[in-house]
Amino acid sequence: MLITFGGIAAFFAVIVVILQLSGIRDSSSEYAIGRRSFGANYQAMSFLNT
């Protein structure tokens, strides 16, 4: 079990290092909206709808 969790942790550590070295800067909000912005009308309708 230690080997399994260690392997998974090592895999994620390698992924994090690769992403840090490649210089990819992205946020989850940019991913969700595709780097687009919503207008004030759409934001107001979304807020009132919730």
Side-chain angles (χ1 to χ4, degrees), residues 42-50:
Y42 185 82
Q43 290 177 2
M45 287 187 297
S46 176
F47 177 75
L48 293 173
N49 191 31
T50 59

Side-chain angles (χ1 to χ4, degrees), residues 3 8-11 16 18 25 30-31 39-40 45 49-50:
I3 294 173
I8 292 171
F11 173 75
V16 168
I18 290 172
R25 303 280 182 219
E30 287 180 353
Y31 175 77
M45 287 187 297
N49 191 31
T50 59

Side-chain angles (χ1 to χ4, degrees), residues 12-30:
F12 284 119
V14 168
I15 296 297
V16 168
V17 168
I18 290 172
L19 289 174
Q20 289 294 326
L21 292 176
S22 67
I24 295 175
R25 303 280 182 219
D26 200 8
S27 68
S28 60
S29 63
E30 287 180 353

